[in-house]
């Protein structure tokens, strides 16, 4: 069992990570983070907003290495805007060992371990990388990401 | 539906400031009253002649207006706090203009005052979560924009930093600015690095201060014997909020829409603007907004800035006050302080900072949410 660092934003059982998005059944707009209450684009009610798993895969749109940060994770770390293949432009953290990422690079998510829960289960979150090891098992990916 | 310009004419008749400064023990009441007394003296008005007060504030306290205004003598006038993030002061000024234009009162004051005591974020209140939760504060939001701007236009980090060099030069001439040292490019680029291309001197200081602007109808100017020659007309006042934009970044898109509407309502073009105060909280924003306002073509702001077009004495003076980067960004006061600066410029009273032959000027703020407020003023 893995525990999500951000409950409700992704499916911890999926490998590779899958993001928990929303699709508006009235206007077709796809959201991540998920949209509740009503659609920002067309005002459709919550009944029209359907959970939609989104592949955590896309292209780097913008990048910033953060040098000043109070709290976790300790700086420096890199935040990217990622244009998901599934539509939304999202913000996420790049994997720590990412070397020289560039705007327009293709990226996809791996699991990284950010801590251990009270029950000994790993707390995970997705981080994006330009070179995901395609054949790696989830546990290996999590270990590699977490140790970097 | 009417635009502001189609209603009764509104003119700025008095402006005042308390210098922007690092947070201190001075209570907001004292900061605000200092600016209000300066604006009253500038206008030649007494407090009892003010008929409505709007207070732009975002980080101090609820219900804070009367505790401040009472020190001028309690007259029982309506008082309203206006919170609109960084655009709080601009929005307070807009409300004062609307009330005079509508004919509800003849003389109104907009006061911006804040101390960074109580800074809150709406996402937390809304219970929203994000993969980058807590990791993307405003400087990283704008560092991301800077990376994309450099990618799209081939702009260098040095060209972005040049905005802070120019604005520090202007701020050094402004006795009310929080940062009063002219900085070289080397100093601006020096550590500490904050996020992406942004260094400390490319991020605005958030401190405390106050700004006050009094607006009046023509009838009041005549009746009260105010100096019409020093008054400045509010040509247009436009506020918008973020819509759904595909691809284009929302800060630039919202600025483009709001400015276009303000120019249209004022019956002027971007080429008519002599002085522009804009939301340069981070260096890259000045380049983005110069382009979004139509002051130059996309991708041209950096080379034109280097060529001196946006200097005092250039084609159009941008951030002649020093902008948020040098004058400072105490939040509530900022948008009102922009009106103080452009009024002073249009009156020809800006001394060493004076942009020659300033006739038409624009003030622009964006605020998280996102909102945008633009005013255009003219010396007739
Ligand atoms: Zn919809």
């Amino acid at each position: 069992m893995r525990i999500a660092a951000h409950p409700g934003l992704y499916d911890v059982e999926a490998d590779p990570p899958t993001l928990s998005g929303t699709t508006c059944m009235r206007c077709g707009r796809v959201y991540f983070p998920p949209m509740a209450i009503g659609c920002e684009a067309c005002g459709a009610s919550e009944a029209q907003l359907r959970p939609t798993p989104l592949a955590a895969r896309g292209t780097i749109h913008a990048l910033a290495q953060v040098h000043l940060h109070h709290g976790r994770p300790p700086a420096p770390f890199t935040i990217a805007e990622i244009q998901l293949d599934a539509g939304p432009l999202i913000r996420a953290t790049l994997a720590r060992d990412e070397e020289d990422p560039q705007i327009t690079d293709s990226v996809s998510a791996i699991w990284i371990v950010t801590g251990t829960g009270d029950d000994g289960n790993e707390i995970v979150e997705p981080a994006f990388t330009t070179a995901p090891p395609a054949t790696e098992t989830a546990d290996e990916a999590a270990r590699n990401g977490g140790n970097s | 539906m009417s635009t502001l310009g189609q209603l009764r004419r509104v003119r700025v008749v008095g402006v005042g400031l308390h210098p922007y400064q690092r947070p201190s023990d001075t209570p907001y009441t004292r900061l605000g009253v200092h600016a209000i007394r300066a604006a009253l003296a500038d206008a030649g008005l007494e407090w009892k002649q003010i008929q409505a007060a709007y207070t732009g504030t975002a980080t101090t306290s609820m219900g804070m207006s009367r505790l401040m205004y009472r020190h001028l003598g309690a007259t029982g006038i309506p008082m309203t706090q206006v919170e609109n993030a960084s655009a709080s002061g601009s929005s307070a000024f807009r409300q004062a203009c609307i009330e005079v234009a509508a004919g509800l009162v003849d003389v109104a004051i907009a006061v911006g005052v804040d101390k960074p005591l109580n800074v809150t974020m709406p996402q937390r209140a809304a219970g929203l979560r994000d993969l980058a939760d807590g990791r993307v504060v405003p400087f990283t939001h704008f560092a991301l924009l800077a990376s994309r701007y450099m990618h799209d236009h081939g702009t260098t980090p040095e060209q972005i930093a040049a905005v802070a060099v120019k604005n520090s030069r202007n701020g050094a001439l402004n006795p009310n600015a929080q940062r009063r040292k002219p900085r070289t490019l080397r100093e601006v680029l020096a550590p500490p690095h904050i996020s992406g291309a942004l260094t400390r001197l490319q991020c605005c200081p958030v401190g405390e201060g106050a700004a006050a602007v009094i607006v009046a109808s023509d009838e009041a100017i005549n009746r009260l014997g105010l100096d019409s020659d020093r008054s400045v007309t509010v040509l247009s006042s436009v506020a918008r909020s973020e819509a759904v934009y595909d691809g284009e970044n929302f800060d630039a898109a919202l600025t483009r829409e709001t400015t276009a509407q303000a120019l249209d309502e004022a019956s002027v073009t971007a080429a008519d603007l002599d002085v522009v105060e804009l939301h340069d909280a981070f260096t890259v924003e000045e380049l983005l907004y110069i382009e979004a306002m139509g002051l130059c073509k996309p991708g041209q702001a950096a080379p034109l800035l280097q060529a001196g077009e946006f200097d005092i004495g250039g084609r159009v003076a941008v951030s002649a006050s020093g902008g948020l980067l040098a004058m400072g960004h105490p939040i509530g006061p900022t948008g009102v302080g922009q009106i103080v600066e452009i009024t002073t410029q249009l009156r020809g009273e800006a001394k060493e900072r004076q942009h020659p032959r300033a006739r038409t000027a624009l003030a622009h703020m964006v605020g998280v949410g996102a909102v945008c407020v633009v005013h255009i003023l003219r010396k007739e």
Side-chain angles (χ1 to χ4, degrees), chain A residues 23-29 31 38-45 48-49:
Chain A
T23 303
C24 175
M25 304 311 287
R26 187 157 93 185
C27 72
R29 194 165 181 95
Y31 292 97
C39 175
E40 178 175 352
C42 78
S45 73
Q48 307 261 28
L49 300 177

Side-chain angles (χ1 to χ4, degrees), chain B residues 26-219:
Chain B
T26 308
Y28 79 87
T29 44
R30 192 173 289 280
L31 301 173
V33 168
H34 179 98
I36 296 164
R37 285 188 174 134
L40 289 168
D42 180 52
L45 282 167
E46 293 178 55
W47 175 249
K48 65 180 185 210
Q49 293 168 314
I50 304 293
Q51 298 165 321
Y54 289 93
T55 313
T57 179
T59 63
T60 304
S61 172
M62 68 178 279
M64 47 107 74
S65 285
R66 212 196 78 90
L67 279 187
M68 174 174 72
Y69 296 117
R70 66 177 176 154
H71 295 295
L72 296 145
T75 56
I77 60 167
M79 297 170 176
T80 307
Q81 280 88 236
V82 179
E83 187 279 303
N84 214 3
S86 288
S88 296
S90 314
S91 301
F93 175 69
R94 176 170 154 78
Q95 291 308 122
C97 291
I98 289 170
E99 190 154 351
V100 170
L104 298 180
V105 297
D106 283 324
V107 186
I109 191 166
V111 178
V113 61
D114 254 332
K115 295 174 71 75
L117 298 173
N118 191 22
V119 179
T120 53
M121 290 309 285
Q123 288 80 6
R124 184 182 298 259
L128 296 178
R129 300 213 63 185
D130 189 325
L131 283 183
D133 247 1
R135 297 173 195 169
V136 181
V137 294
F139 56 67
T140 293
H141 171 76
F142 288 106
L144 288 165
L145 285 189
S147 78
R148 187 69 207 187
Y149 185 85
M150 290 190 282
H151 174 84
D152 287 343
H153 301 299
T155 312
T156 64
E158 290 75 16
Q159 286 180 304
I160 292 179
V163 172
V165 176
K166 171 179 69 70
N167 294 358
S168 73
R169 189 165 62 232
N170 296 348
L173 302 173
N174 184 350
N176 293 299
Q178 184 168 343
R179 287 178 176 159
R180 299 207 51 207
K181 240 186 243 174
R183 300 289 192 167
T184 63
L185 187 60
R186 178 193 290 261
E187 286 175 306
V188 170
L189 289 168
H193 295 279
I194 304 295
S195 189
L198 300 176
T199 51
R200 185 180 70 87
L201 290 175
Q202 298 187 64
C203 306
C204 67
V206 176
E208 64 180 28
V213 171
I214 301 169
V215 290
S217 63
D218 289 352
E219 187 191 319

